[in-house]
């Protein structure tokens, strides 16, 4: 079923004493159950249920039915929700440094992302989140690189963006990224994107193919310009309430962490194939595809690095960015 | 201009010290308190006036500051190519002020929305109801006020993306609103006699005793005592006429507290309430109400309604048909039911009343046409349903058009037959020349409408921004028309605006507080896994016809309690999967869901949309609910038709 909330029942209650005390874990994912963003939560719930022999029980909520991602973060801090999928952009509300993932052209591909999350920059972010916001980051989940979806035509060079209204999430790095190219950034919520394209409130927006499909924006915007791995990136995380974790007996805490590590692997497996499949689905829905010439991408990268990186470093210092760049090139 | 704005009538009793609300003198039970004025009571009254004035200042400033920000944003974006970027994150503050402070002002004026079915019929209940209402409101405000302290602390680490403002600052109006509720509740209780208080306390103790007995019986019967008592508490609070928002909040908080959920429970209640009332799309509602007041005050509505009367005044129910058509067209712009009602309702309400149209019928037509408008594209509900399920938003939009037309025709039919007696007054024959003059007088109104429609369809302004644009145009016209008439000084115009803004806050606050309270109920139901149990139970149904029969009855009831959107989020995906597994077309069922839940929003006695509409057109809710019966029957017929005749949805 594609339930709004569902329970994951133990399929294997033979291990580690099913007679032990049961712990209910309320988990939340902001999008529908079948969206790939929820994979890390679902795999974790399945594996942890069986590893703990049913002592850990999961009640999963989807579709923001407990509130917006920001509200769910607050509920998680209050230990009403114990486990949640949230994007790094949403985490910037509590630890601004997570904006690192919104820096344009930082990551050349998923290996670069993994180098950063597994390296000192990732560790620094995790520790800052725990100490200043009392949120424990348990795992990372790859989402995808943004391309440009337009209703009016392809974006073949950065000058094509001049004067165009471009929809972005409200984030200073993203608005700077596009205003530095002469575009007019229009921040709006996801719910407003469909009609925004329809009425022409904006003409273009950076999205991955998967998120376009999930929200059916291909119904109202038909031009997809592939920029490659650069212009923007979205990373998801699995977060937990630290006092809930410390209330668990040691063996169950270990089971949960083990389940998360396995889920991290499974969720990120085959992500390139998934992306290719998403693009094909868009093509069958009548979306036209074009690839931005590499010279244009290079010009964009040049511009973005000059204008946007200083915005980040002036706010958070340069050590985090330096560490990230060192991990990527090392 | 001799007519007084709805707002300026309020002004005379709110700004001028001599007519400020006196404690107890404005209770909604109609019992005037005539205790001799002691020095203490005089001091109390003047303190309340000062307090009330400060709160009024806050809501007025919030409303106009937000207006300035929204206008600056789209002018900046469309004219100068540079958007403000931070306008959305800041809008949380005025929305929160309008909700929580506005609701407190409404309570002080006896305008909190409540159910009067029992208090109007049972004198024994009516006798104790005022004290029960004030005490339960006091408990509500204290619980929420205390819970908001750790809530505000817990969001200290959270900041907004662009300006980096702490969420705590943006959320503090909830605390201020609760302090105001406490002050007003105490003041109202302070002027009660000892015997009134004593009888009220006895009634409250009786409620608690009944709850205790029910608890015992439930335990003995093996039924969960917590849900039983929560439902009983909810019903008891409604029966004694406590504000609906208080009933929702207290009953669900009790449920959460007693069902022993993990975590710092009480902070969750304000978290959920604040989240429910601060989505940007809600901004359109106060602005459209204010725009309606201004257009009415500036004489634009008069021109428009007079012109409409010339055209269709001789048709049975003619002016009501105008409302139906306007709502159909307007719902094609805004995407929000309450915004549609605000815009059309406030613009025509006074003119219609002056022309002898029944306010009750106007409220009924507005409410049911708002249900109709739910499936006219664009529709927020359809976009949300499309984004949480596999359904295509485009197909839902197309699928919704014919059902809306069917509902519209049913509404027009009911209006036709129920208007027989209304329009039997003799209508003076209007000559061609007079008609032409009326048409010319209606031109400014058409110009305003044209600018708004053009702005949205060209993509230059969003629906929310168009509501602000409407206010700006309304202000301009009021200023221009007054300068010409030289009837009022700028000071008087300012005072009128003040009164209108306070009226907007009172209206928006009452409704938004219910939305906030219902969000706690919806949260409690989800955490309590009630929806999963409902889904399991539905899994036992194997007949398409039986399932659809259940849906057309259950959806309006659920929508009435959970206030549309939360219900759609929670129930949309599972119900759709049951429906498609039984062979119902997904798009068709999607439209059934939208109409069914929308129906609930406007269903008496507690549908938020229904209560809101009554307030907008200043009609008595119980009288409206009687007038609505044939209309509701018609909508129900339409809903059944959409559920059982797939062609209605799928033929286009
Ligand atoms: Na903006
Ligand atoms: Na609509």
């Amino acid at each position: 079923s594609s339930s709004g909330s569902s329970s994951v029942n133990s399929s294997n209650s033979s291990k580690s004493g099913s007679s032990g005390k049961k712990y209910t874990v309320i988990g939340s994912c902001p999008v529908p159950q079948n969206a790939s963003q929820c994979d890390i939560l679902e795999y974790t719930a399945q594996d942890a249920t069986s590893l703990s022999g049913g002592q850990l029980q999961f009640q999963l909520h989807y579709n923001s039915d407990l509130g917006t991602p920001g509200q769910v973060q607050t509920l998680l801090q209050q230990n009403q929700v114990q486990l949640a999928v949230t994007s790094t952009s949403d985490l910037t509300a509590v630890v601004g440094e997570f904006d690192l993932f919104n820096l344009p052209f930082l990551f050349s591909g998923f290996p670069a992302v993994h180098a950063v999350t597994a390296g000192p920059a990732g560790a620094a972010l995790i520790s800052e989140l725990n100490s200043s916001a009392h949120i424990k980051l348990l795992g990372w989940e790859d989402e995808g690189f943004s391309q440009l979806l337009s209703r009016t035509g392809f974006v073949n060079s950065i000058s094509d963006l001049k004067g165009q209204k471009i929809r972005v999430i409200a984030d200073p790095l993203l608005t700077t990224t596009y205003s530095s190219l002469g575009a007019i950034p229009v921040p709006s919520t996801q719910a407003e994107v469909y009609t925004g394209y329809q009425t022409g409130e904006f003409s273009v927006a950076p999205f991955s193919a998967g998120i376009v499909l999930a929200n059916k924006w291909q119904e109202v915007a038909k031009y997809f310009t592939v920029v490659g791995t650069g212009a923007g990136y979205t990373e998801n995380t699995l977060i937990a309430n630290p006092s809930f974790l410390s209330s668990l007996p040691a063996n169950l805490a270990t089971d949960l962490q083990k389940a998360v590590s396995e889920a991290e692997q499974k969720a990120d497996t085959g992500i390139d194939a998934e992306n290719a499949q998403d693009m094909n689905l868009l093509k069958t829905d009548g979306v036209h595809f074009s690839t931005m010439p590499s010279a244009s991408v290079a010009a964009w990268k040049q511009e973005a690095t000059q204008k946007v990186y200083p915005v980040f470093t002036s706010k958070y210092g340069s050590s985090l960015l330096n560490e990230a760049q060192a991990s990527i090139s090392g | 201009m001799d007519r007084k704005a709805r707002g300026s009538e309020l002004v005379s009793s709110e700004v001028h010290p001599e007519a400020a609300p006196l404690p107890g003198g404005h209770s909604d039970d109609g019992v005037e308190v005539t205790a001799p004025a002691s020095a203490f009571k005089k001091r109390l009254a003047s303190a309340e006036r000062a307090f009330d004035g400060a709160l009024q200042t806050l809501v007025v400033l919030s409303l106009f500051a937000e207006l300035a920000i929204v206008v600056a944003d789209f002018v900046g974006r469309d004219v100068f190519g540079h958007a403000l970027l931070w306008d959305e994150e800041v809008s949380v503050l005025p929305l929160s002020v309008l909700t929580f402070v506005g609701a407190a002002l409404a309570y002080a004026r006896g305008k909190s929305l409540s159910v009067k079915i029992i208090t109007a019929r049972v004198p024994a209940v009516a006798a104790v109801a005022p004290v029960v209402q004030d005490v339960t409101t006091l408990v509500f405000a204290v619980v929420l006020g205390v819970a908001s302290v750790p809530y505000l602390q817990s969001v200290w680490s959270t900041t907004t993306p662009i300006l980096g403002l702490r969420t705590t600052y943006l959320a503090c109006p909830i605390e201020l609103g609760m302090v105001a509720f406490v002050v007003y509740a105490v003041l109202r209780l302070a002027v009660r006699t000892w015997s009134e208080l004593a009888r009220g306390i006895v009634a409250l103790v009786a409620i608690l005793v009944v709850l205790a007995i029910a608890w015992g019986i439930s335990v003995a019967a093996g039924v969960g005592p917590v849900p039983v008592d929560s439902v009983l508490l909810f019903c008891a609070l409604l029966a004694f006429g406590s504000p609906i928002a208080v009933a929702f909040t207290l009953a669900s908080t009790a449920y959460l507290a007693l069902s022993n959920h993990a975590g710092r429970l009480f902070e969750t209640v304000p978290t959920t309430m604040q989240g429910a009332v601060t989505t940007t799309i809600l901004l359109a509602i106060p602005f459209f109400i204010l725009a309606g007041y201004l257009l009415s005050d500036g004489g634009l509505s008069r021109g428009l309604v007079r012109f409409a009367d010339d055209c269709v005044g001789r048709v049975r129910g003619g002016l009501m048909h105008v409302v139906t058509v306007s709502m159909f067209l307007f719902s094609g712009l805004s995407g929000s039911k309450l915004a549609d009602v605000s815009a059309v309702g406030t613009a025509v309400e006074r003119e219609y009343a002056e022309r002898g149209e029944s306010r009750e019928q106007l409220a009924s037509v507005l409410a049911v046409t708002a249900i109709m408008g739910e499936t006219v594209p664009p529709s927020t509900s359809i976009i949300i349903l499309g984004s949480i399920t596999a359904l295509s938003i485009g197909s839902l939009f197309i699928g919704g058009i014919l059902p809306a037309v069917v509902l519209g025709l049913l509404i027009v039919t009911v209006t036709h037959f129920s208007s027989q007696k209304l329009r039997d007054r003799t209508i003076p024959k209007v000559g061609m020349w007079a008609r032409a003059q009326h048409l010319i007088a209606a031109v400014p109104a058409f110009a305003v409408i044209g600018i708004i429609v053009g702005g949205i369809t060209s993509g230059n302004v969003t629906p929310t921004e168009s509501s602000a644009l409407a206010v700006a145009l309304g202000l301009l016209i009021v200023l221009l028309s007054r300068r010409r008439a030289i009837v009022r000084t700028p000071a008087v115009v300012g005072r009128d605006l003040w009164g209108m803004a306070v009226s907007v806050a009172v209206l928006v606050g009452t409704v938004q507080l219910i939305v906030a309270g219902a969000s706690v109920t919806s949260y409690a139901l989800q955490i309590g896994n009630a929806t999963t149990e409902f889904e399991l139970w539905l899994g036992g149904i194997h007949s398409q016809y039986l399932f659809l029969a259940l849906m057309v009855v259950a959806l309006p009831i659920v929508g009435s309690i959970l206030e549309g959107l939360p219900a759609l989020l929670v129930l949309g995906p599972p119900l759709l999967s049951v429906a498609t597994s039984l062979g119902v077309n997904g798009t068709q069922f999607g439209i059934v869901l939208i109409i069914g839940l929308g129906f609930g929003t406007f269903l008496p006695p507690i549908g938020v949309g229904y209560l809101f509409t009554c307030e907008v057109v200043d009609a008595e809710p119980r009288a409206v609910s009687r007038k609505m019966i044939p209309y509701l029957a018609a909508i129900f017929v339409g809903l059944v038709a959409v559920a059982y005749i797939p062609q209605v949805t799928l033929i286009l």
Side-chain angles (χ1 to χ4, degrees), chain B residues 18-30:
Chain B
E18 69 273 12
L22 288 161
H26 43 75
S27 53
D28 52 358
D29 49 301

Side-chain angles (χ1 to χ4, degrees), chain A residues 185-188, chain B residues 73-74 77 83-88 465:
Chain A
V186 181
S188 78
Chain B
D73 179 52
F74 72 73
R77 192 186 60 217
L84 277 186
L85 307 178
W86 46 264
D87 54 306
E88 292 215 351
E465 289 167 350

Side-chain angles (χ1 to χ4, degrees), chain A residues 1-7 26 32 34 59 61-68 71 73-75 77-82 92-95 132-133 165 169-172 175 179 183-192 194-195 198-202 214-217 219 241 315, chain B residues 77-78 81-83 85 88-89 151 154-155 157-159 161-162 256 261-265 267-268 271-272 275-276 279-280 378 383-384 386-395 397 456-462 464 522-523 526-529 531-532 535 569-570 573-574 577:
Chain A
S1 85
S2 61
S3 158
S5 82
S6 71
S7 299
I26 296 176
N34 51 8
Q59 179 186 323
H61 291 265
Y62 299 93
N63 298 329
S64 300
D65 64 6
L66 297 178
T68 62
Q71 257 178 285
Q73 263 177 40
T74 306
L75 291 172
Q77 286 174 309
Q78 296 168 1
N79 204 8
Q80 280 284 305
V81 168
Q82 284 77 39
T92 60
V94 282
V95 173
S132 72
K165 289 186 205 159
I169 53 168
D171 182 283
T175 55
S179 60
I184 304 164
V186 181
S188 78
T189 61
Q190 198 155 305
E192 292 167 292
Y194 193 99
T195 43
Q198 241 181 349
T199 60
E201 186 193 329
F202 53 83
N215 292 282
K216 293 148 192 132
W217 294 322
E219 294 178 8
N241 179 291
K315 221 167 160 182
Chain B
R77 192 186 60 217
D78 293 337
H82 188 86
L85 307 178
E88 292 215 351
E89 63 189 51
Y151 160 62
S154 80
V155 293
S157 61
T158 311
T159 54
I162 305 284
L256 287 168
H261 278 289
R264 291 175 287 166
L265 161 77
E267 293 156 58
T268 303
T271 306
T272 306
T279 48
T280 329
I383 291 174
I384 286 170
S387 64
I388 60 174
T389 62
L391 299 175
S392 149
I393 298 166
S395 327
F397 275 168
I456 298 177
T457 50
S458 68
N460 284 313
V461 295
T462 64
T464 306
S522 144
Y523 178 81
Q526 285 158 62
I527 285 293
N529 243 357
T531 50
T532 310
E535 194 194 340
L569 283 175
V570 180
S577 81

